[in-house]
PDB file of all heavy atoms in Angstrom:
ATOM      1  N   ASP A 271     124.273 -97.520 -86.650  1.00  0.00           N
ATOM      2  CA  ASP A 271     124.099 -97.656 -85.182  1.00  0.00           C
ATOM      3  C   ASP A 271     124.924 -96.605 -84.504  1.00  0.00           C
ATOM      4  O   ASP A 271     125.627 -96.935 -83.517  1.00  0.00           O
ATOM      5  CB  ASP A 271     124.540 -99.080 -84.701  1.00  0.00           C
ATOM      6  CG  ASP A 271     123.680-100.163 -85.302  1.00  0.00           C
ATOM      7  OD1 ASP A 271     122.434 -99.852 -85.529  1.00  0.00           O
ATOM      8  OD2 ASP A 271     124.080-101.256 -85.537  1.00  0.00           O
ATOM      9  N   GLY A 272     124.875 -95.374 -84.975  1.00  0.00           N
ATOM     10  CA  GLY A 272     125.668 -94.275 -84.357  1.00  0.00           C
ATOM     11  C   GLY A 272     127.116 -94.345 -84.549  1.00  0.00           C
ATOM     12  O   GLY A 272     127.881 -93.412 -83.985  1.00  0.00           O
ATOM     13  N   LYS A 273     127.654 -95.093 -85.399  1.00  0.00           N
ATOM     14  CA  LYS A 273     129.022 -95.144 -85.626  1.00  0.00           C
ATOM     15  C   LYS A 273     129.385 -94.953 -87.139  1.00  0.00           C
ATOM     16  O   LYS A 273     128.651 -95.593 -88.002  1.00  0.00           O
ATOM     17  CB  LYS A 273     129.584 -96.531 -85.231  1.00  0.00           C
ATOM     18  CG  LYS A 273     131.102 -96.686 -85.327  1.00  0.00           C
ATOM     19  CD  LYS A 273     131.617 -98.045 -84.862  1.00  0.00           C
ATOM     20  CE  LYS A 273     133.062 -98.200 -85.091  1.00  0.00           C
ATOM     21  NZ  LYS A 273     133.503 -99.610 -84.644  1.00  0.00           N
ATOM     22  N   LEU A 274     130.398 -94.210 -87.438  1.00  0.00           N
ATOM     23  CA  LEU A 274     130.789 -93.997 -88.811  1.00  0.00           C
ATOM     24  C   LEU A 274     131.639 -95.156 -89.306  1.00  0.00           C
ATOM     25  O   LEU A 274     132.589 -95.520 -88.820  1.00  0.00           O
ATOM     26  CB  LEU A 274     131.660 -92.758 -89.045  1.00  0.00           C
ATOM     27  CG  LEU A 274     131.958 -92.292 -90.512  1.00  0.00           C
ATOM     28  CD1 LEU A 274     130.770 -91.874 -91.172  1.00  0.00           C
ATOM     29  CD2 LEU A 274     133.009 -91.205 -90.433  1.00  0.00           C
ATOM     30  N   VAL A 275     130.992 -95.810 -90.356  1.00  0.00           N
ATOM     31  CA  VAL A 275     131.616 -97.062 -90.921  1.00  0.00           C
ATOM     32  C   VAL A 275     132.107 -96.759 -92.353  1.00  0.00           C
ATOM     33  O   VAL A 275     131.334 -96.293 -93.066  1.00  0.00           O
ATOM     34  CB  VAL A 275     130.595 -98.238 -90.904  1.00  0.00           C
ATOM     35  CG1 VAL A 275     131.191 -99.424 -91.527  1.00  0.00           C
ATOM     36  CG2 VAL A 275     130.149 -98.462 -89.505  1.00  0.00           C
ATOM     37  N   GLU A 276     133.365 -97.027 -92.561  1.00  0.00           N
ATOM     38  CA  GLU A 276     133.902 -96.949 -93.857  1.00  0.00           C
ATOM     39  C   GLU A 276     133.575 -98.130 -94.767  1.00  0.00           C
ATOM     40  O   GLU A 276     133.461 -99.304 -94.271  1.00  0.00           O
ATOM     41  CB  GLU A 276     135.538 -96.869 -93.878  1.00  0.00           C
ATOM     42  CG  GLU A 276     136.055 -95.736 -92.968  1.00  0.00           C
ATOM     43  CD  GLU A 276     136.048 -94.382 -93.743  1.00  0.00           C
ATOM     44  OE1 GLU A 276     135.931 -94.389 -94.982  1.00  0.00           O
ATOM     45  OE2 GLU A 276     136.017 -93.346 -93.101  1.00  0.00           O
ATOM     46  N   MET A 277     133.421 -97.944 -95.992  1.00  0.00           N
ATOM     47  CA  MET A 277     133.103 -98.941 -96.979  1.00  0.00           C
ATOM     48  C   MET A 277     134.492 -99.708 -97.390  1.00  0.00           C
ATOM     49  O   MET A 277     134.898 -99.526 -98.420  1.00  0.00           O
ATOM     50  CB  MET A 277     132.449 -98.388 -98.153  1.00  0.00           C
ATOM     51  CG  MET A 277     131.985 -99.408 -99.270  1.00  0.00           C
ATOM     52  SD  MET A 277     130.816-100.733 -98.740  1.00  0.00           S
ATOM     53  CE  MET A 277     129.338 -99.868 -99.048  1.00  0.00           C
ATOM     54  N   GLU A 278     134.900-100.372 -96.365  1.00  0.00           N
ATOM     55  CA  GLU A 278     136.059-101.226 -96.573  1.00  0.00           C
ATOM     56  C   GLU A 278     135.862-102.669 -96.309  1.00  0.00           C
ATOM     57  O   GLU A 278     135.181-102.999 -95.231  1.00  0.00           O
ATOM     58  CB  GLU A 278     137.281-100.752 -95.656  1.00  0.00           C
ATOM     59  CG  GLU A 278     137.560 -99.327 -95.739  1.00  0.00           C
ATOM     60  CD  GLU A 278     138.596 -98.785 -94.611  1.00  0.00           C
ATOM     61  OE1 GLU A 278     138.561 -99.489 -93.489  1.00  0.00           O
ATOM     62  OE2 GLU A 278     139.360 -97.856 -94.862  1.00  0.00           O
ATOM     63  N   MET A 279     136.209-103.559 -97.196  1.00  0.00           N
ATOM     64  CA  MET A 279     135.882-105.007 -97.073  1.00  0.00           C
ATOM     65  C   MET A 279     137.120-105.804 -97.450  1.00  0.00           C
ATOM     66  O   MET A 279     137.835-105.410 -98.338  1.00  0.00           O
ATOM     67  CB  MET A 279     134.611-105.315 -97.691  1.00  0.00           C
ATOM     68  CG  MET A 279     134.592-105.128 -99.296  1.00  0.00           C
ATOM     69  SD  MET A 279     133.000-105.298 -99.977  1.00  0.00           S
ATOM     70  CE  MET A 279     132.114-103.815 -99.407  1.00  0.00           C
ATOM     71  N   GLU A 280     137.086-107.067 -97.135  1.00  0.00           N
ATOM     72  CA  GLU A 280     138.101-107.991 -97.571  1.00  0.00           C
ATOM     73  C   GLU A 280     137.517-109.012 -98.597  1.00  0.00           C
ATOM     74  O   GLU A 280     136.348-109.412 -98.551  1.00  0.00           O
ATOM     75  CB  GLU A 280     138.513-108.884 -96.288  1.00  0.00           C
ATOM     76  CG  GLU A 280     139.332-108.014 -95.286  1.00  0.00           C
ATOM     77  CD  GLU A 280     139.928-108.857 -94.237  1.00  0.00           C
ATOM     78  OE1 GLU A 280     139.535-110.151 -94.076  1.00  0.00           O
ATOM     79  OE2 GLU A 280     140.829-108.381 -93.491  1.00  0.00           O
ATOM     80  N   TYR A 281     138.417-109.347 -99.450  1.00  0.00           N
ATOM     81  CA  TYR A 281     138.100-110.274-100.627  1.00  0.00           C
ATOM     82  C   TYR A 281     138.979-111.458-100.461  1.00  0.00           C
ATOM     83  O   TYR A 281     140.263-111.284-100.622  1.00  0.00           O
ATOM     84  CB  TYR A 281     138.281-109.578-102.010  1.00  0.00           C
ATOM     85  CG  TYR A 281     137.862-110.441-103.166  1.00  0.00           C
ATOM     86  CD1 TYR A 281     136.818-110.002-103.994  1.00  0.00           C
ATOM     87  CD2 TYR A 281     138.469-111.683-103.415  1.00  0.00           C
ATOM     88  CE1 TYR A 281     136.440-110.725-105.053  1.00  0.00           C
ATOM     89  CE2 TYR A 281     137.984-112.412-104.524  1.00  0.00           C
ATOM     90  CZ  TYR A 281     137.019-111.921-105.285  1.00  0.00           C
ATOM     91  OH  TYR A 281     136.671-112.717-106.381  1.00  0.00           O
ATOM     92  N   MET A 282     138.540-112.683 -99.990  1.00  0.00           N
ATOM     93  CA  MET A 282     139.466-113.894 -99.917  1.00  0.00           C
ATOM     94  C   MET A 282     139.691-114.444-101.185  1.00  0.00           C
ATOM     95  O   MET A 282     138.828-114.676-102.038  1.00  0.00           O
ATOM     96  CB  MET A 282     138.682-114.696 -98.907  1.00  0.00           C
ATOM     97  CG  MET A 282     138.479-114.174 -97.536  1.00  0.00           C
ATOM     98  SD  MET A 282     137.924-115.401 -96.333  1.00  0.00           S
ATOM     99  CE  MET A 282     136.358-115.933 -97.054  1.00  0.00           C
ATOM    100  N   VAL A 283     140.888-114.933-101.335  1.00  0.00           N
ATOM    101  CA  VAL A 283     141.294-115.609-102.598  1.00  0.00           C
ATOM    102  C   VAL A 283     142.163-116.775-102.189  1.00  0.00           C
ATOM    103  O   VAL A 283     142.825-116.847-101.084  1.00  0.00           O
ATOM    104  CB  VAL A 283     142.118-114.723-103.574  1.00  0.00           C
ATOM    105  CG1 VAL A 283     141.315-113.507-103.952  1.00  0.00           C
ATOM    106  CG2 VAL A 283     143.427-114.246-102.887  1.00  0.00           C
ATOM    107  N   THR A 284     142.169-117.825-103.104  1.00  0.00           N
ATOM    108  CA  THR A 284     142.945-118.992-102.957  1.00  0.00           C
ATOM    109  C   THR A 284     144.349-118.674-103.441  1.00  0.00           C
ATOM    110  O   THR A 284     144.506-118.452-104.603  1.00  0.00           O
ATOM    111  CB  THR A 284     142.362-120.234-103.696  1.00  0.00           C
ATOM    112  OG1 THR A 284     140.999-120.423-103.214  1.00  0.00           O
ATOM    113  CG2 THR A 284     143.232-121.397-103.474  1.00  0.00           C
ATOM    114  N   PRO A 285     145.422-118.950-102.705  1.00  0.00           N
ATOM    115  CA  PRO A 285     146.817-118.624-103.155  1.00  0.00           C
ATOM    116  C   PRO A 285     147.189-119.539-104.276  1.00  0.00           C
ATOM    117  O   PRO A 285     146.728-120.736-104.417  1.00  0.00           O
ATOM    118  CB  PRO A 285     147.616-118.979-101.972  1.00  0.00           C
ATOM    119  CG  PRO A 285     146.687-118.923-100.780  1.00  0.00           C
ATOM    120  CD  PRO A 285     145.372-119.294-101.237  1.00  0.00           C
ATOM    121  N   GLY A 286     147.774-118.969-105.381  1.00  0.00           N
ATOM    122  CA  GLY A 286     148.240-119.727-106.396  1.00  0.00           C
ATOM    123  C   GLY A 286     147.277-119.908-107.560  1.00  0.00           C
ATOM    124  O   GLY A 286     147.565-120.450-108.671  1.00  0.00           O
ATOM    125  N   SER A 287     146.063-119.392-107.501  1.00  0.00           N
ATOM    126  CA  SER A 287     145.094-119.578-108.428  1.00  0.00           C
ATOM    127  C   SER A 287     145.191-118.353-109.450  1.00  0.00           C
ATOM    128  O   SER A 287     144.953-117.255-108.923  1.00  0.00           O
ATOM    129  CB  SER A 287     143.590-119.686-107.991  1.00  0.00           C
ATOM    130  OG  SER A 287     142.722-119.489-108.957  1.00  0.00           O
ATOM    131  N   ILE A 288     145.521-118.557-110.695  1.00  0.00           N
ATOM    132  CA  ILE A 288     145.637-117.470-111.595  1.00  0.00           C
ATOM    133  C   ILE A 288     144.311-116.675-111.839  1.00  0.00           C
ATOM    134  O   ILE A 288     144.143-115.433-111.838  1.00  0.00           O
ATOM    135  CB  ILE A 288     146.140-117.996-112.986  1.00  0.00           C
ATOM    136  CG1 ILE A 288     147.484-118.535-112.890  1.00  0.00           C
ATOM    137  CG2 ILE A 288     146.096-116.859-114.064  1.00  0.00           C
ATOM    138  CD1 ILE A 288     148.040-119.168-114.171  1.00  0.00           C
ATOM    139  N   PHE A 289     143.286-117.524-111.925  1.00  0.00           N
ATOM    140  CA  PHE A 289     141.886-116.948-112.109  1.00  0.00           C
ATOM    141  C   PHE A 289     141.497-116.231-110.953  1.00  0.00           C
ATOM    142  O   PHE A 289     141.060-115.034-110.995  1.00  0.00           O
ATOM    143  CB  PHE A 289     140.818-118.090-112.391  1.00  0.00           C
ATOM    144  CG  PHE A 289     139.470-117.630-112.217  1.00  0.00           C
ATOM    145  CD1 PHE A 289     139.013-116.613-113.075  1.00  0.00           C
ATOM    146  CD2 PHE A 289     138.590-118.205-111.297  1.00  0.00           C
ATOM    147  CE1 PHE A 289     137.633-116.198-112.952  1.00  0.00           C
ATOM    148  CE2 PHE A 289     137.270-117.765-111.186  1.00  0.00           C
ATOM    149  CZ  PHE A 289     136.864-116.683-112.063  1.00  0.00           C
ATOM    150  N   ALA A 290     141.697-116.800-109.662  1.00  0.00           N
ATOM    151  CA  ALA A 290     141.394-115.927-108.509  1.00  0.00           C
ATOM    152  C   ALA A 290     142.053-114.764-108.260  1.00  0.00           C
ATOM    153  O   ALA A 290     141.454-113.680-107.864  1.00  0.00           O
ATOM    154  CB  ALA A 290     141.473-116.904-107.219  1.00  0.00           C
ATOM    155  N   SER A 291     143.245-114.750-108.658  1.00  0.00           N
ATOM    156  CA  SER A 291     144.191-113.504-108.506  1.00  0.00           C
ATOM    157  C   SER A 291     143.652-112.422-109.522  1.00  0.00           C
ATOM    158  O   SER A 291     143.577-111.261-109.166  1.00  0.00           O
ATOM    159  CB  SER A 291     145.593-113.851-108.797  1.00  0.00           C
ATOM    160  OG  SER A 291     146.374-112.654-108.810  1.00  0.00           O
ATOM    161  N   THR A 292     143.402-112.858-110.784  1.00  0.00           N
ATOM    162  CA  THR A 292     143.004-111.930-111.777  1.00  0.00           C
ATOM    163  C   THR A 292     141.612-111.292-111.437  1.00  0.00           C
ATOM    164  O   THR A 292     141.425-110.087-111.508  1.00  0.00           O
ATOM    165  CB  THR A 292     142.954-112.614-113.106  1.00  0.00           C
ATOM    166  OG1 THR A 292     144.114-113.165-113.502  1.00  0.00           O
ATOM    167  CG2 THR A 292     142.403-111.683-114.279  1.00  0.00           C
ATOM    168  N   LEU A 293     140.653-112.129-111.128  1.00  0.00           N
ATOM    169  CA  LEU A 293     139.360-111.677-110.795  1.00  0.00           C
ATOM    170  C   LEU A 293     139.439-110.621-109.637  1.00  0.00           C
ATOM    171  O   LEU A 293     138.844-109.649-109.598  1.00  0.00           O
ATOM    172  CB  LEU A 293     138.517-112.893-110.313  1.00  0.00           C
ATOM    173  CG  LEU A 293     137.050-112.505-109.838  1.00  0.00           C
ATOM    174  CD1 LEU A 293     136.289-111.772-110.851  1.00  0.00           C
ATOM    175  CD2 LEU A 293     136.301-113.835-109.389  1.00  0.00           C
ATOM    176  N   SER A 294     140.109-111.035-108.484  1.00  0.00           N
ATOM    177  CA  SER A 294     140.226-110.176-107.302  1.00  0.00           C
ATOM    178  C   SER A 294     140.823-108.735-107.628  1.00  0.00           C
ATOM    179  O   SER A 294     140.421-107.730-107.169  1.00  0.00           O
ATOM    180  CB  SER A 294     140.906-110.831-106.215  1.00  0.00           C
ATOM    181  OG  SER A 294     142.303-111.077-106.478  1.00  0.00           O
ATOM    182  N   GLU A 295     141.869-108.733-108.469  1.00  0.00           N
ATOM    183  CA  GLU A 295     142.496-107.566-108.826  1.00  0.00           C
ATOM    184  C   GLU A 295     141.553-106.641-109.697  1.00  0.00           C
ATOM    185  O   GLU A 295     141.579-105.501-109.511  1.00  0.00           O
ATOM    186  CB  GLU A 295     143.765-107.813-109.567  1.00  0.00           C
ATOM    187  CG  GLU A 295     144.941-108.462-108.810  1.00  0.00           C
ATOM    188  CD  GLU A 295     145.472-107.397-107.716  1.00  0.00           C
ATOM    189  OE1 GLU A 295     145.173-106.191-107.776  1.00  0.00           O
ATOM    190  OE2 GLU A 295     146.187-107.853-106.772  1.00  0.00           O
ATOM    191  N   VAL A 296     140.961-107.349-110.675  1.00  0.00           N
ATOM    192  CA  VAL A 296     139.920-106.549-111.420  1.00  0.00           C
ATOM    193  C   VAL A 296     138.837-105.887-110.611  1.00  0.00           C
ATOM    194  O   VAL A 296     138.464-104.871-110.803  1.00  0.00           O
ATOM    195  CB  VAL A 296     139.259-107.436-112.576  1.00  0.00           C
ATOM    196  CG1 VAL A 296     138.173-106.676-113.262  1.00  0.00           C
ATOM    197  CG2 VAL A 296     140.426-107.832-113.580  1.00  0.00           C
ATOM    198  N   MET A 297     138.399-106.699-109.645  1.00  0.00           N
ATOM    199  CA  MET A 297     137.236-106.201-108.796  1.00  0.00           C
ATOM    200  C   MET A 297     137.871-105.086-107.875  1.00  0.00           C
ATOM    201  O   MET A 297     137.059-104.087-107.550  1.00  0.00           O
ATOM    202  CB  MET A 297     136.681-107.297-107.899  1.00  0.00           C
ATOM    203  CG  MET A 297     135.491-106.920-107.065  1.00  0.00           C
ATOM    204  SD  MET A 297     134.246-108.184-106.912  1.00  0.00           S
ATOM    205  CE  MET A 297     132.962-107.066-106.095  1.00  0.00           C
TER     206      MET A 297
END
């Protein structure tokens, strides 16, 4: 739409979850 958009996005994680933390870091 006429604006330069960077491919930047947020990944939400549940605090304290080992699995969520590992997955988000790998991604």
Side-chain angles (χ1 to χ4, degrees):
D271 296 329
K273 181 181 178 181
L274 187 68
V275 177
E276 299 281 341
M277 181 62 87
E278 299 172 337
M279 60 188 74
E280 292 185 346
Y281 185 119
M282 298 187 298
V283 299
T284 303
S287 169
I288 297 173
F289 168 60
S291 176
T292 302
L293 174 60
S294 61
E295 290 292 346
V296 171
M297 183 147 190

